[in-house]
Amino acid sequence: MIAAVPIPWLVLLPALLLTGTALLVMVADLWMEGPDRDGLGWLGIAGLVVALIASVTLWNQHEGGFGGTLVLDRYALFFNLVFCLAAGLTLLMSMNYLEFTDIRVGDYYSLIVFATLGMVLMAAAADLIVIFLGLEVMSIAVYVLAGIWRQQQRSTEAALKYFLLGAFATGFLLFGIALLYGATGTTALAGISAQVLKVGGEQRLLLLAGMALLLIGFGFKVAAVPFHVWTPDVYEGAPTSITALMAVGVKAAAFAAFVRVFVQALGALTAEWAPVLWVLAVLTMTAGNVIALLQQNIKRMLAYSSIAHAGYLVLGLIAARDGGGGAVLFYLVVYALMNLGAFAVVIALGQRGAANEQLDDYAGVGFRHPFLGFAMSVFMLSLAGLPPLAGFAGKFYLFAAAVKAGYIGLAVIGVLNSVVSMYYYAGVLVKMYMVEGGAAVAEVTTRPYLVATVILTVIGTLLLGVFPSFTHELARQAFLSLG
Amino acid sequence: MLSLIVFTPLLGGLFVLLMQRDNLPAIRRAAFVLSLLPLGLSLRLLAGFDAAEAGMQFVESAAWIPQFNIRYQVGIDGISLWLVLLTTFLTPLVIVAGWGDVHKRVKEYMFFMLALETGMLGAFVALDLFLFYVFWEVMLIPMYFLIGVWGGPRRIYAAIKFVLFTMTGSLLMLVAILYLASAHAQQSGQLSFDMLRLYDLSLPLAQQRWLFAAFALAFAIKVPMFPLHTWLPDAHVEAPTGGSVILAGILLKLGTYGFLRLAIPLFPVAAAQAVPLMMVLAVIGIIYGALVAMVQPDLKKLVAYSSVSHLGFVMLGLFAFNHQGVMGGIYQMLNHGLSTGALFLLVGVIYERRHTRLISEFGGLWQQLPVYAVCFLIVMLSSVGLPGLNGFVGEFLILLGAFNAHPALGALATSGVVLGAVYMLWMFQRVMFGPLSNPANQRLTDMSRLERAVLAPILVMIVVMGVYPQPFLRRMEPAVNAYLARIEKQVADHRASETLVAQSAGTLALHQPVR
């Protein structure tokens, strides 16, 4: 006689909506033959919007399900917003992108929704095993997406690299989970949190080793130095829309789990992990920014810059309890907007057969395509952290938390890194407005979905820069719901 | 009222940006008329300004980022009043000057000029540190474009150097601002970015020193003080005429203003301890700037280095920490804005005609361009500090203050005045006198009506401020007195508490054997 397990429908709602959407898109693909597949994209977007609305309406709920392995708290819901936003904008820009790259695989759209499902599971997981499951759902979908441009050798190469190193990272993560289980006898975050201080002797060694392995696993996923080496090749090789999703969505999901595990489960060990993360943050910011200086390809430049941004986020994670947690969540929203916008501009300036990804291709773009040039300037300056753009507000909250927590040195290293980053972000502006020539990008046809993506992200970047408090307040509440 | 003044230029700029690209006369005229609006509004501000009041006037305040207690808060006192007027006065002139010498991407040029004006005005009136920082950084971008798009051959290098130098300083200041706000939270339970409230915060000296260093670095780069001045000649030489005028006329003043409004009053004890260092650096700046200016073959570089020297005077006055010095420093900020702005405009006039700025290319211009020469003469004499013109009043007050504070440094600084006269007069002689030997100069036309119209208001102000400085000084005085009184009190309090600590330490020592 098996007792009927009550199914926590409410907790599952966002995930179920996404699963339904993904399956629906997959099935619809069978009926939508022919060159025009925009309908699939719209279907995906509709599903994401519904999931987003559901997440908004559930804001005041706080429930657990499946024996507390999955939770529905503001933290998870806030991340759902980030993921739906990122995936939705990715779908929007993809509809034009697929047109001129000849990626004609219908599964493309459903895979993006599946990846989003994985992200949502990661953010809602209250158990290491569920985090692992979410990570795999997300990663496998993204491995495929990275290699989906089969005509391009570098896309295949990116997929292989990403898959191999991703599997490697997963191994670390799984091993870490095993050690933590060995030390504490549980994989539930709450259980671990209750046990960590009681563990002593050899068990404690096991615990610390498990923590270190988890750190490596997450380090890989958020592309922190020295676990970042896969990033530039994969980012450059993958289809640009997927690069955007990886840089924004995958990174946000990894941070969602990272913060939950280290703050909620291992918060009592802050004294142990904070110094390690301190070094990691400094390395990540500095190496990312310095190597980005040398890049001639804009996708690689954005890849290294995204490494640097992971460093800023780790800085916020260290100061999580002093306002850094809310700052990390806020920054992920801001980062999603400005980075997706930047990638959308990169796509918009490309054309069939010529991706125009070299920085030299950007010469004169500012005056030839005033709107795209303006948008790119907004994104670059926001990424560099200049007011009154969203990137500044984000960095302000991060650095404020670091200062409040007493990490003045780290904050100073962070701001000096911003100066370095200004050099290469401003370099894009130099190319666009101060260098003549650049016939390569002369003929760009207007593509409505790309333009829409760019407009949305520009508005978001400006709005969150001038009026950051509402979103930041949501982020703060979300973090506080971790308890 | 203040917000209106601050944001009308930006709105005007956006309006210009929406205009038809080809209709240049309309764009130019619109930009000029729109830049007159803030001037008109700020004149009304002057009319309504209460000269006897020391505190902030026309204050506007609204919550902005409530979680951090950040407010949109603006206001002016007798110090910022004049800097606001300087800004709104120079901008229309620069825009008109741009009618003649900017021919590519006119619309964008006018937009960036107007956006820059908003940034500068905002920084002068901000009363919240966060708001100040935002405006402070917002200024960077238009200037970056003005140098980078409309500048000379090495414009990209100069533009990036300008941005990186400024950002390094200002981001460290951001960390200091955050630290200051959280220090306030620790003492009173609430974060605060309110400048006036933070004035009353008393911090341990060790912390004050670090914070002062961070603020001072940001402002010293902007001033620029020796040895942080190296971005300035590059930026000036490469910038278009209008950019140079704004850069020298107003942007640099934000550095000295920052010292006056933030670095010194927020950390008075640390600032008082830094006086010897700052005064010495100021004097080095005065003499070094003058010496380097003397040997410049390029007119614009000469004027750029003269700025390093003149701003050394301003810093000397501000760090004299006495009434004459500070009053002189502020007055000299205005003077330098007018004189050096005019010098750059004048250099621009002949550059337009000859496309060279090398002094050796000229000579005997007086015969060919008499009106130009007379204008140049007046401006040059104002810059040198001839009695009866504005420069004299400021320099005199500064030196008086410097002598009171530190006679030896005052004496050294006076030699800077002499050197200033030397390089300016020598330059004038080489450009204007002698035979008109270079054939290229023999067909030059004198200043156009437009160029005269741009320069005339500045010349009038140069004379007015030299002959009748009273209306200007009178409105500054209450604010300056309050400023000095506050610093003196805090420094005295600190001394008292130090002696108290020393005494109580002594008592403890006495009691110890008994235990």
Side-chain angles (χ1 to χ4, degrees), chain B residues 142-468:
Chain B
M143 200 64 215
Y144 170 73
F145 277 109
L146 286 174
I147 298 174
V149 178
W150 290 273
R154 290 171 70 238
R155 59 186 193 274
I156 294 173
Y157 168 79
I160 292 207
K161 194 171 176 184
F162 163 76
V163 166
L164 293 187
F165 261 72
T166 317
M167 258 189 102
T168 310
S170 54
L171 278 165
L172 290 175
M173 175 169 79
L174 178 66
V175 176
I177 289 174
L178 290 168
Y179 189 89
L180 197 59
S182 56
H184 187 273
Q186 273 174 11
Q187 285 189 12
S188 66
Q190 198 188 22
L191 281 168
S192 178
F193 290 82
D194 185 331
M195 285 179 198
L196 304 180
R197 208 187 299 175
L198 289 170
Y199 282 169
D200 300 326
L201 194 67
S202 65
L203 291 170
L205 187 57
Q207 286 180 26
Q208 272 203 32
R209 280 195 189 128
W210 281 108
L211 294 169
F212 175 76
F215 275 83
L217 181 71
F219 299 137
I221 289 174
K222 201 81 159 190
V223 166
M225 284 189 86
F226 178 87
L228 304 168
H229 63 280
T230 60
W231 63 269
L232 178 90
D234 284 313
H236 266 318
V237 170
E238 299 306 322
T241 300
S244 295
V245 174
I246 294 289
L247 194 59
I250 309 165
L251 267 180
L252 304 188
K253 306 304 168 307
L254 276 152
T256 46
Y257 176 76
F259 274 103
L260 202 58
R261 180 67 76 215
L262 297 175
I264 297 173
L266 283 174
F267 320 107
V269 183
Q273 289 187 339
V275 162
L277 173 72
M278 300 305 276
M279 282 182 91
V280 166
L281 285 179
V283 171
I284 293 177
I286 293 172
I287 294 174
Y288 168 86
L291 288 174
V292 178
M294 207 178 291
V295 296
Q296 291 307 318
D298 180 308
L299 273 172
K300 214 170 178 186
K301 259 201 165 145
L302 184 145
V303 181
Y305 276 106
S306 86
S307 284
V308 175
S309 180
H310 282 149
L311 287 190
F313 277 109
V314 177
M315 291 305 296
L316 188 69
L318 296 187
F319 272 88
F321 273 28
N322 53 33
H323 186 255
Q324 297 96 331
V326 174
M327 293 284 282
I330 300 168
Y331 204 64
Q332 196 64 1
M333 282 159 75
L334 306 178
N335 293 334
H336 179 262
L338 296 173
S339 314
T340 309
L343 279 174
F344 277 119
L345 285 171
L346 288 163
V347 173
V349 166
I350 49 170
Y351 182 73
E352 251 325 273
R353 289 162 171 65
R354 284 288 322 278
H355 291 280
T356 179
R357 292 180 300 246
L358 291 179
I359 297 175
S360 56
E361 284 285 314
F362 300 103
L365 287 189
W366 194 302
Q367 302 159 33
Q368 190 67 25
L369 313 165
V371 179
Y372 178 73
V374 170
C375 291
F376 209 134
L377 181 68
I378 297 172
V379 175
M380 188 268 296
L381 291 175
S382 138
S383 174
V384 165
L386 185 82
L389 297 178
N390 60 349
F392 174 73
V393 183
E395 269 182 12
F396 181 77
L397 284 171
I398 287 172
L399 291 173
L400 210 61
F403 269 109
N404 280 341
H406 204 298
L409 287 174
L412 272 171
T414 315
S415 74
V417 181
V418 180
L419 287 173
V422 172
Y423 67 77
M424 275 294 180
L425 290 169
W426 189 36
M427 177 270 286
F428 192 75
Q429 182 211 328
R430 282 181 293 166
V431 173
M432 297 296 176
F433 298 138
L436 188 59
S437 49
N438 191 336
N441 293 332
Q442 279 161 7
R443 260 173 297 135
L444 292 186
T445 50
D446 208 340
M447 291 215 291
S448 67
R449 240 188 302 169
L450 189 74
E451 287 162 342
R452 290 179 208 193
V454 172
L455 219 55
I458 302 186
L459 293 178
V460 170
M461 287 313 293
I462 283 177
V463 175
V464 168
M465 287 183 71
V467 178
Y468 190 43

Side-chain angles (χ1 to χ4, degrees), chain A residues 233-277:
Chain A
D233 289 343
V234 174
Y235 278 23
E236 190 193 342
T240 310
S241 52
I242 299 307
T243 309
L245 185 70
M246 283 196 281
V248 172
V250 172
K251 184 166 289 194
F255 263 104
F258 198 176
V259 170
R260 224 194 243 279
V261 170
F262 276 78
V263 175
Q264 203 177 20
L266 302 170
L269 296 177
T270 304
E272 267 75 28
W273 54 255
V276 182
L277 283 185

Side-chain angles (χ1 to χ4, degrees), chain B residues 118-141:
Chain B
T118 288
M120 295 184 298
L121 288 171
F124 281 132
V125 302
L127 293 182
D128 182 284
L129 276 176
F130 183 87
L131 185 65
F132 174 82
Y133 185 82
V134 168
F135 280 122
W136 173 270
E137 290 281 80
V138 160
M139 288 183 302
L140 274 180
I141 299 308

Side-chain angles (χ1 to χ4, degrees), chain A residues 15-364:
Chain A
L16 283 179
L17 286 171
L18 290 173
T19 316
T21 307
L23 293 173
L24 203 63
V25 174
M26 210 180 235
V27 174
D29 182 36
L30 299 176
W31 273 270
M32 287 198 198
E33 285 299 331
D36 186 31
R37 299 281 187 77
D38 288 359
L40 294 178
W42 284 116
L43 200 58
I45 290 174
L48 288 167
V49 170
V50 173
L52 194 130
I53 293 170
S55 299
V56 172
T57 50
L58 291 173
W59 184 252
N60 287 321
Q61 305 287 332
H62 192 123
E63 280 184 47
F66 296 117
T69 53
L70 207 61
V71 284
L72 180 92
D73 53 7
R74 285 182 179 172
Y75 183 81
L77 291 169
F78 187 86
F79 270 104
N80 287 357
L81 305 185
V82 181
F83 302 144
C84 289
L85 181 79
L89 289 172
T90 307
L91 286 176
L92 191 60
M93 68 172 106
S94 297
M95 288 190 279
N96 279 142
Y97 184 61
L98 298 194
E99 226 168 75
F100 67 96
T101 47
D102 290 323
I103 300 174
R104 286 273 181 259
V105 184
D107 296 332
Y108 174 95
Y109 295 109
S110 66
L111 279 170
I112 287 182
V113 184
F114 270 123
T116 317
L117 169 67
M119 297 171 196
V120 166
L121 285 178
M122 280 177 84
D127 190 289
L128 290 172
I129 298 295
V130 180
I131 290 180
F132 175 72
L133 287 177
L135 184 76
E136 286 302 276
V137 171
M138 171 183 80
S139 298
I140 290 170
V142 182
Y143 298 149
V144 178
L145 284 167
I148 207 161
W149 197 355
R150 284 174 306 181
Q151 298 91 323
Q152 287 269 326
Q153 204 185 344
R154 61 173 189 172
S155 175
T156 317
E157 185 192 328
L160 191 63
K161 262 189 192 165
Y162 190 36
F163 173 65
L164 286 179
L165 284 163
F168 200 49
T170 312
F172 274 106
L173 203 72
L174 209 53
F175 197 16
I177 293 174
L179 291 188
L180 277 192
Y181 178 72
T184 60
T186 173
T187 54
L189 298 184
I192 295 173
S193 160
Q195 291 291 319
V196 274
L197 285 181
K198 296 179 197 152
V199 174
E202 256 173 57
Q203 298 290 85
R204 188 174 157 80
L205 225 60
L206 218 56
L207 182 73
L208 292 180
M211 191 169 84
L213 288 171
L214 281 180
L215 195 63
I216 294 173
F218 285 127
F220 263 107
K221 285 294 167 190
V222 303
V225 174
F227 315 112
H228 68 288
V229 280
W230 56 274
T231 324
D233 289 343
V234 174
Y235 278 23
E236 190 193 342
T240 310
S241 52
I242 299 307
T243 309
L245 185 70
M246 283 196 281
V248 172
V250 172
K251 184 166 289 194
F255 263 104
F258 198 176
V259 170
R260 224 194 243 279
V261 170
F262 276 78
V263 175
Q264 203 177 20
L266 302 170
L269 296 177
T270 304
E272 267 75 28
W273 54 255
V276 182
L277 283 185
W278 194 97
V279 175
L280 206 69
V282 171
L283 283 178
T284 307
M285 287 189 277
T286 314
N289 277 322
V290 171
I291 306 175
L293 288 176
L294 310 172
Q295 302 308 314
Q296 289 306 315
N297 176 298
I298 192 147
K299 277 168 82 179
R300 284 184 87 84
M301 190 270 267
L302 286 172
Y304 279 107
S305 105
S306 93
I307 293 174
H309 284 272
Y312 303 133
L313 286 161
V314 172
L315 177 153
L317 171 54
I318 297 172
R321 288 286 177 203
D322 287 293
V328 167
L329 267 55
F330 177 78
Y331 198 82
L332 283 168
V333 179
V334 167
Y335 176 74
L337 285 171
M338 54 196 185
N339 232 26
L340 286 168
F343 279 113
V345 174
V346 172
I347 293 178
L349 289 175
Q351 49 201 316
R352 187 180 291 274
N356 293 327
E357 286 165 8
Q358 298 303 312
L359 281 174
D360 289 334
D361 296 334
Y362 281 68

